Amino acid sequence: MKNFEQFIGSFSFDWRLAKVDIIGSIAHVQMLVKTKILSSSDGKKIIKGLQSISKDIENGWKLPKQEDIHYAIEKELIKRIGTVGGKMHTARSRNDQVATDLRLYIRKEINDIVKMLNQFQSVLVNNAEKSLDIIMPGYTHLQPAQPILASHHLLAYVWMMQRDKERLLDCLKRVNILPLGSAALAGTSFKIDRNYVAKLLEFDKVTDNSLDAVSDRDFACEYIFVLSLIAVHLSKLSEEIVVWSSVEFGFIKIDDVFTSGSSIMPQKRNPDCAEIIRGKSGRVFGDLMAMLTIVKGLPLAYNRDLQEDKPPVFDATDTIKLCLEVITDMMKSFSFNKEKTVKSTEKGFLQATEIADYLARKSIPFRTAHSIVKDIVNFCIKSNKTLDSLSINEYKKFSKNIEKDIFRFINIGNIVNAKNSIGGTSKKSVLKQITDIKKCIK
Ligand code: ARG
């Protein structure tokens, strides 16, 4: 068969595991020396050789291609230090080795992504603090519903990111378990010390079943799922940016560098970055589907299908990191257009619920109150009026229970500030949210 080597190989993508592969091998060799499976002088030679390869790779040297990264490093080691290099692979297999590498790789990425999420949250909180006096319409079904603080809206995303961080750190508990020492599938008869390797590599513990250990990729599925939810959240925020920056809404401004013009329509400023982030979510979901499909129906233990796990893990990681970088920068340049948001609160009868609540407080059953206010709103639509431009006499035609104080109740600022329940949109509640979330951002 032509191209067989290339077909079964994974070097074209798993070269990215070089660093963690060497870290894992050094710990393995240290353990082999400690347990006297390997002599200390052999161990030293191997470790020195591995360190020199690692340094060269860091300096941009290209490791010669082999079937996969594990063979490439072993071959290079033997080339540099002689046949003693071949002793490195005692008491292990590529199966437990690759599972270890992937865990080390994902662990590092989880920590990086948590850091990026913290930075993104800080930027959003900073914007929320700057927008504490800006009122905008809150929506359901993208129909104007009730007035809210713009800060409140931004903070909703900060809480999503908080859950994303929590999910990543929870996933880390399952990632940070060491499979090395499971060998090909059955464990090994060498008197190895797995716990020592776990300690060296800072894993929380070692896996309990060698068959499960070499075939388990649940942690990778879980990791990409968590990244998929991050993609969902970034996509939702991007959608809002697209809508809010439209001429029709005009609620926000973002720096021109995050937009582009049109080749034929000179007036256009398209929110490309937000659109691309929204679109990139598709890639990450695709990675999740790929990962789930790869592991589905595999008999125990290792199967070569598992080699296909790395491209989706790498792609989802790269995509999320890139999107987080761009959206964090974009949100640094973000500001609300106060005039426009406030103007929008005048449309859409945002006070309607308040009038119904007002009547309900006067012992009118809420259902009846709801229907009275529906009539009032219909009247406003017909006569082209707003709820605050109606006279008290006009109100009284719908319910004699409506008094002059109604105007205090339907003042947009008062409506917002009355929403004092925990998690509500009043300035007081929002300030409390800011204090609380700040404690979660490192
Ligand atoms: N390149 C392989 C992978 O990524 C390494 C493990 C190979 N193991 C085997 N039994 N052929 O999964």
Side-chain angles (χ1 to χ4, degrees):
M1 184 189 130
K2 255 208 307 185
N3 295 334
F4 175 77
E5 298 295 326
Q6 203 183 337
F7 183 69
I8 67 155
S10 51
F11 188 84
S12 61
F13 48 86
D14 69 11
W15 59 267
R16 292 180 58 164
L17 295 176
K19 196 171 168 189
V20 287
D21 193 77
I22 291 175
I23 289 172
S25 289
I26 290 176
H28 177 68
V29 170
Q30 283 173 321
M31 182 276 291
L32 293 179
V33 171
K34 178 180 178 268
T35 52
K36 304 209 159 56
I37 297 168
L38 205 67
S39 75
S40 143
S41 71
D42 283 353
K44 271 192 194 131
K45 277 184 212 143
I46 296 173
I47 291 173
K48 255 185 95 183
L50 286 171
Q51 283 166 341
S52 75
I53 297 173
S54 182
K55 222 168 154 202
D56 289 349
I57 293 175
E58 250 168 61
N59 291 335
W61 169 76
K62 287 245 172 317
L63 186 65
K65 189 178 166 190
Q66 290 295 331
E67 181 186 308
D68 62 20
I69 185 66
H70 324 292
Y71 273 150
I73 289 171
E74 187 175 321
K75 188 115 194 244
E76 180 63 25
L77 181 71
I78 294 169
K79 193 174 147 211
R80 290 191 186 195
I81 67 167
T83 51
V84 61
K87 291 188 176 181
M88 168 175 74
H89 210 54
T90 315
R92 78 169 181 192
S93 132
R94 273 191 301 160
N95 298 349
D96 56 345
Q97 185 182 358
V98 69
T100 303
D101 288 4
L102 195 61
R103 284 170 187 265
L104 284 169
Y105 171 84
I106 292 180
R107 181 174 79 183
K108 156 98 176 42
E109 295 302 334
I110 286 182
N111 287 321
D112 283 1
I113 295 171
V114 167
K115 273 191 208 133
M116 295 182 86
L117 285 168
N118 274 312
Q119 283 162 6
F120 183 42
Q121 282 180 308
S122 302
V123 170
L124 289 179
V125 170
N126 194 21
N127 284 335
E129 283 180 312
K130 281 193 211 143
S131 331
L132 275 166
D133 293 314
I134 300 177
I135 297 179
M136 63 181 273
Y139 296 85
T140 64
H141 315 266
L142 203 57
Q143 302 285 328
Q146 294 183 334
I148 56 167
L149 282 190
S151 317
H152 194 50
H153 199 121
L154 289 180
L155 287 169
Y157 287 98
V158 184
W159 291 107
M160 287 178 222
M161 301 304 142
Q162 187 55 27
R163 293 196 295 278
D164 291 332
K165 274 171 17 191
E166 285 169 14
R167 257 187 294 272
L168 279 170
L169 294 174
D170 195 67
C171 171
L172 186 58
K173 290 185 209 157
R174 260 105 37 215
V175 169
N176 207 25
I177 303 174
L178 177 72
L180 203 64
S182 303
L185 75 162
T188 172
S189 51
F190 285 101
K191 296 275 168 289
I192 57 171
D193 184 347
R194 297 188 62 203
N195 287 312
Y196 180 65
V197 182
K199 211 171 123 204
L200 290 176
L201 294 175
E202 294 177 25
F203 278 94
D204 296 331
K205 52 182 180 179
V206 300
T207 51
D208 295 297
N209 180 307
S210 58
L211 293 171
D212 184 34
V214 292
S215 56
D216 173 23
R217 295 293 184 273
D218 294 0
F219 67 93
C221 297
E222 208 180 325
Y223 169 66
I224 306 182
F225 168 71
V226 177
L227 298 190
S228 298
L229 265 189
I230 297 176
V232 168
H233 297 152
L234 299 186
S235 173
K236 282 163 63 120
L237 178 57
S238 299
E239 164 67 10
E240 307 238 53
I241 290 169
V242 170
V243 172
W244 286 349
S245 63
S246 67
V247 174
E248 288 75 7
F249 274 75
F251 280 7
I252 58 157
K253 203 173 150 22
I254 45 169
D255 198 290
D256 278 353
V257 299
F258 301 102
T259 66
S260 81
S262 150
S263 54
I264 65 160
M265 299 165 280
Q267 83 283 15
K268 298 266 277 181
R269 274 177 59 235
N270 303 324
D272 298 56
C273 286
E275 292 172 287
I276 290 169
I277 294 168
R278 191 176 57 185
K280 291 264 188 206
S281 57
R283 287 181 76 115
V284 185
F285 304 163
D287 294 327
L288 176 62
M289 283 312 119
M291 191 65 228
L292 288 170
T293 313
I294 290 160
V295 291
K296 171 208 147 285
L298 290 185
L300 287 174
Y302 178 85
N303 296 274
R304 195 61 179 262
D305 316 42
L306 290 176
Q307 177 163 290
E308 289 293 313
D309 61 359
K310 280 159 286 291
V313 167
F314 294 152
D315 186 67
T317 304
D318 293 345
T319 307
I320 284 298
K321 286 174 92 174
L322 185 64
C323 290
L324 275 172
E325 209 181 301
V326 173
I327 205 163
T328 303
D329 271 354
M330 184 162 68
M331 291 311 282
K332 277 185 196 156
S333 83
F334 169 101
S335 61
F336 279 104
N337 179 348
K338 191 171 175 179
E339 253 170 56
K340 275 270 196 169
T341 56
V342 171
K343 195 103 197 98
S344 280
T345 62
E346 291 164 13
K347 293 180 284 190
F349 308 104
L350 301 177
Q351 307 99 321
T353 318
E354 236 49 42
I355 305 175
D357 286 351
Y358 171 93
L359 290 170
R361 281 202 195 90
K362 298 199 169 185
S363 286
I364 293 174
F366 185 80
R367 261 310 132 236
T368 316
H370 183 276
S371 130
I372 293 170
V373 181
K374 209 169 173 183
D375 292 343
I376 298 176
V377 168
N378 281 335
F379 171 76
C380 284
I381 294 171
K382 263 194 231 130
S383 49
N384 200 18
K385 291 191 169 173
T386 58
L387 287 169
D388 42 14
S389 69
L390 289 185
S391 69
I392 186 66
N393 288 338
E394 282 170 314
Y395 269 117
K396 285 228 182 266
K397 278 187 203 141
F398 295 93
S399 168
K400 57 180 179 357
N401 289 293
I402 300 181
E403 313 279 343
K404 262 194 161 162
D405 63 349
I406 189 70
F407 295 108
R408 191 157 39 83
F409 280 92
I410 63 169
N411 170 284
I412 293 286
N414 290 344
I415 293 176
V416 169
N417 274 327
K419 298 284 185 298
N420 253 325
S421 49
I422 299 175
T425 197
S426 73
K427 190 163 174 180
K428 196 170 153 219
S429 296
V430 169
L431 282 169
K432 161 102 175 62
Q433 263 188 76
I434 293 179
T435 313
D436 290 345
I437 194 70
K438 274 187 171 172
K439 287 182 203 142
C440 307
I441 304 175
K442 306 239 156 48

